[in-house]
Amino acid sequence: MNKTRQDDLGTPASQATDTVRVEIDGLPAEVLAGTSILRAARESGVDIPKLCATDSLQPFGSCRLCLVEVEGRKGYPASCTTPVEDGMKIRTQTNQLSKLRRNVMELYISDHPLDCLTCSANGDCELQDMAGAVGLRDVRYGFDGENHLDAPVDASNPYFQFDASKCIVCSRCVRACDEVQGTFALTIEGRGFKSKVSAGISEDFLDSECVSCGACVQACPTATLMEKSIVDHGQPDHKVVTTCAYCGVGCSFQAEMKGDQVVRMTPWKDGEANHGHSCVKGRFAWGYASHRDRVMKPMIRDNTSDPWREVEWDEAIQYTARRFKEIQAAHGRKSVGGITSSRCTNEEVYVVQKLVRAAFGNNNVDTCARVCHSPTGYGLKTTLGTSAGTQPFDSVMDADVIVVIGANPTEGHPVFASQMKRRLREGARLIVVDPREIGLVKSPHIEAEYHLPLLPGTNVPIINAFAHVIVSEGLADESYVAERCDLESWESWKAMILRPENSPEAVAEVSGVDAETIRAAARLYGNAGNGAIYYGLGVTEHSQGSTMVMGMANLAMATGNIGRSGVGVNPLRGQNNVQGSCDMGSFPHELAGYRPVSEDKVRTQFEQHWGVTIDPEPGYRIPNMFDAAIAGEFRGMYIQGEDVAQSDPNTIHVEAALSSVECLVVQDLFLNETAKFAHVFLPGTSFLEKNGTFINAERRINRVRKVMEPQQGKDEWLITQELAQALGYDMNYSSAAEIMDEIAELTPTFENVSFDFLDEVGSVQWPCNDNAPMGTPIMHVDAFVRGKGLFVETDYVPTEERTNRKFPLLLTTGRILSQYNVGAQTRRTDNNIWYGEDLLEVHPSDAETRGIKDDMLVSLASRKGDITLRAKITTRVKPGVVYTTFHNPETGANVVTTEYSDWATNCPEYKVTAVQIAPASHRSQWQEEFAARAEAQERLAEAD
Ligand code: SF4
Ligand code: SF4
Ligand code: SF4
Ligand code: FES
């Protein structure tokens, strides 16, 4: 059998808790009640041949290969669809069974190309294995009769092909698409001999509803659905389990290797976050790691108008250290700082914040979480006591009512979305609060009971109105509140929430959602046995982001929806390690584990370990760094794996700041937009080249494992360490594991974590310490971490960004499934086939009044700047609202966004910008300048 294939027990595990005793081929076995005979046998070490069954799907019973004999029963039941019963005596191997199975296999093989030796699935084909397992030697029927051997190959999908000639119509692919992914893209068309798998009437895979998650490919037991990378490179010979480097779901994968080349990424069945499922990004879009654009040598230049000069690592590090020392000597200790990356491992992030604190000697360190989930940290810590979500993903399977606010899980967090959709198909009820009609509102077998298409910027009034209904209609869980919450804050919050301006009727005017819908949705949540809230950047990226996070926490506490499975307040984190980069002490006011740098006791602990004095004054946040750079006070910047020139708001302001920096160091895989302003480029490593950990949205610490050596010659943590040494601070780790050991020693919530421990248990959710040696899946179970849950008054203070006659529309931004964040990775993959450029969604009525047609070039102007992009006319947005993504640098979506930000954390208000749109004939001035700059950089590179 193939060396990388994962165990398959045939049918899903039984959910029962009681066991039954059976006898399999004369040997006793004890298994969970409800287990199939097929699985019971496999668990006991007896392999029954099978084809249509697999343990990720409900049994189907179509192939008749898994027949067994059961004492006292007539006939030959299919073992995959027959559950065990107490006392059952089963025989899996008899002459009659062998004959029956051989006959079944003979029929399959008689309509199958006998090209096993040259087939790309050779060695990893269940059909081939089963032919061997049943001892099939001859096929009595020739190929003269009707067959499917000339059926065409559909190679339209960039990542996998469908070779219909090899299909045995077991329908595992169809069931995987339905049950696991929830897209319902495939059907079995026709009957009998004519039955075949179809991706839509006369459609190929590319034009169908398929979202390329790969579940069908994984489920297919033959070479019919096959990764093109395997067709091209052959079967893998070894595997390494690691973690996806894209979103905050944190899916576990087997990197399957042939020599030192990755040939396939297969979702790992034992991964606690994904249970063997994947999305197109993690499963297929890993080619960027070996893209020709990757920079493999360090580069320096004195001025950004000079060509880059490739140098050895030592020269690059000494050069950086010298320039940072010169800047600090001339402008003071606080004139330099750094930004950590939520795409890097915890260990890499930890050493960068340590570099800033111990070697730069200040707290000028911030992280890109500043611009996405910083309000989550602030809001949840203030109300509940912990800067993180409350639940594991699996908790959604116990939810009765699911509220999705400002998140688009099917695009942003696809694997979790599939799990959520499974629960919704089982009967959970859904409320969606989003200005757009996101995919969850209506998709196959799912329909939101209430969609509240609120105006961007009005989350807080909506959540206050929910609370108003719950309190005024007696739906609050008074005994929960009395037992677990701070009663003084409860009373004052109630008084606030009952004020007339928080009634659904008043809020309807502000939000554009009618009062009855608000009231009905609030009642649905208020009456839920288990009500769970999931939210994303549509909550946090507002000037009231922190207020809204606290508003949701208030609501959950008031209804008793925190502290058990099926409930909670759950941030869906954007990047793979947003949670971790915050946990690691990347904020200017906090050391690892969210402990204030201003507290003597906290500082002393780190000072003793690090052997330095730590500045008690918090440092600059990212926006302060930019402002200080323009003011000439901040002159040296070390940016780890972030492209602030593309991702941060008000691009023109950011570019001005970056241009003002005397020494800008960029550590990244590619020469990104920020690198155009840089003086030092330190090539980074892809996730395939790292040892370390990522922490996902559930606080789950997952191992990232090296599947190949760093392609540019150096571990990323080592680059930072050598820079620290060159600056005179003796940072001295010998491995990433040692860095985690220090994190664990200095961070109470990580006390028991080590690479060895994670390798042993798989993954663990923090806090993981002596109080919770195996981690903490659900937070706040008996009491809130802060003691009593704190209700915080959430008065609505509207953003200062207002529409007017000049800018009458509201722009909101988001992302789509196939692209990721600034697109640095996904744009360097075949994912571009689905979304090659940022489009502007416009409602038909707004388009018509401006003479805008589908696909037309339009200008998008705000008070900050203007860009042009193509229009997509759609009713997904409501009148008065337009929407775009920010995946392509040449679009410059953030040229138009403003510097308004969350009052508590400075998280930018990406989601609300007043704009005007009009037909356009040419690129905007900024886009012209961008193109000119790109050309100039190219010329410099050529001159080099
Ligand atoms: S494509 Fe594969 S999984 Fe689907 S029916 Fe054919 S053989 Fe079965
Ligand atoms: S790749 Fe995913 S979405 Fe596409 S057909 Fe297969 S299971 Fe369905
Ligand atoms: S859902 Fe997120 S973590 Fe999982 S494979 Fe997709 S991008 Fe990776
Ligand atoms: S595996 Fe049981 S009928 Fe196919």
Side-chain angles (χ1 to χ4, degrees), residues 162 167-173 197 220-222 224-225:
F162 173 70
C167 182
I168 58 170
V169 202
C170 65
S171 103
R172 271 164 65 162
C173 54
V197 172
C220 181
T222 66
T224 314
L225 281 160

Side-chain angles (χ1 to χ4, degrees), residues 393-685:
F393 290 135
D394 286 352
S395 155
V396 77
M397 299 313 285
D398 292 322
D400 302 312
V401 172
I402 297 170
V403 190
V404 176
I405 310 181
N408 190 356
T410 49
E411 308 275 339
H413 304 86
V415 166
F416 175 61
S418 289
Q419 188 175 25
M420 183 187 277
K421 289 205 282 188
R422 206 151 53 240
R423 178 63 194 143
L424 291 167
R425 289 198 301 275
E426 285 175 4
R429 299 163 81 182
L430 175 66
I431 300 166
V432 173
V433 182
D434 200 287
R436 291 169 75 230
E437 191 181 311
I438 58 168
L440 271 182
V441 172
K442 200 166 182 357
S443 61
H445 305 284
I446 286 171
E447 186 159 0
E449 208 149 322
Y450 300 105
H451 172 214
L452 281 60
L454 75 180
L455 277 171
T458 61
N459 286 327
V460 170
I462 287 282
I463 211 74
N464 285 348
F466 268 51
H468 184 97
V469 173
I470 278 155
V471 174
S472 63
E473 297 190 6
L475 299 176
D477 188 339
E478 300 271 356
S479 58
Y480 178 96
V481 172
E483 188 190 328
R484 301 190 42 164
C485 300
D486 177 280
L487 293 181
E488 203 178 312
S489 68
W490 163 244
E491 291 303 332
S492 47
W493 175 76
K494 261 198 316 187
M496 185 252 356
I497 224 69
L498 288 173
R499 287 203 304 257
E501 72 261 29
N502 292 320
S503 69
E505 289 68 26
V507 166
E509 284 178 31
V510 184
S511 66
V513 182
D514 67 85
E516 265 325 293
T517 305
I518 299 174
R519 202 171 279 282
R523 285 176 185 150
L524 180 59
Y525 176 76
N527 283 309
N530 283 338
I533 298 175
Y534 293 89
Y535 70 95
L537 303 182
V539 157
T540 53
E541 290 178 343
H542 286 275
S543 60
Q544 324 82 3
S546 293
T547 314
M548 179 60 182
V549 173
M550 294 190 290
M552 295 183 301
N554 290 337
L555 190 71
M557 286 190 289
T559 51
N561 275 317
I562 294 184
R564 62 181 185 280
S565 188
V567 299
V569 181
N570 304 288
L572 296 174
R573 304 284 189 158
Q575 305 203 63
N576 49 336
N577 199 32
V578 179
Q579 182 67 57
S581 71
C582 300
D583 299 341
M584 291 301 106
S586 293
F587 289 130
H589 65 297
E590 283 171 341
L591 285 151
Y594 305 96
R595 282 162 307 144
V597 74
S598 54
E599 269 182 26
D600 294 347
K601 207 169 106 205
V602 173
R603 264 196 336 280
T604 305
Q605 190 195 5
F606 282 84
E607 284 174 345
Q608 283 171 353
H609 209 96
W610 292 357
V612 291
T613 304
I614 297 174
D615 189 343
E617 286 288 313
Y620 289 134
R621 295 172 172 183
I622 292 171
N624 308 134
M625 290 182 193
F626 294 152
D627 292 344
I630 290 171
E633 291 156 14
F634 189 67
R635 291 170 179 251
M637 205 169 180
Y638 179 107
I639 302 183
Q640 174 191 41
E642 276 305 307
D643 193 1
V644 292
Q646 192 184 341
S647 64
D648 284 33
N650 195 354
T651 306
I652 293 166
H653 179 73
V654 175
E655 288 176 349
L658 296 176
S659 312
S660 310
V661 171
E662 257 177 59
C663 182
L664 177 64
V665 182
V666 169
Q667 188 164 324
D668 209 294
L669 296 179
F670 306 106
L671 273 174
N672 58 20
E673 297 314 305
T674 308
K676 289 179 180 155
F677 302 88
H679 306 88
V680 179
F681 188 87
L682 304 173
T685 52

Side-chain angles (χ1 to χ4, degrees), residues 125 341 373 424 480 506 668 728-729 785 883:
C125 171
S341 169
H373 264 291
L424 291 167
Y480 178 96
D668 209 294
Y729 176 70
V785 170
Y883 166 90

Side-chain angles (χ1 to χ4, degrees), residues 38 49-54 59-67 78-81 108:
L38 178 67
K50 67 170 188 66
L51 271 175
C52 69
T54 184
F60 193 57
S62 70
C63 75
R64 307 292 296 162
L65 196 64
C66 67
L67 309 180
S79 61
C80 62
T81 50
Y108 279 124

Side-chain angles (χ1 to χ4, degrees), residues 244 246-247 249-251 253 278-279 281-282 414-415:
C244 178
Y246 281 115
C247 85
V249 177
C251 296
F253 278 86
S278 59
C279 84
K281 293 191 285 288
V415 166

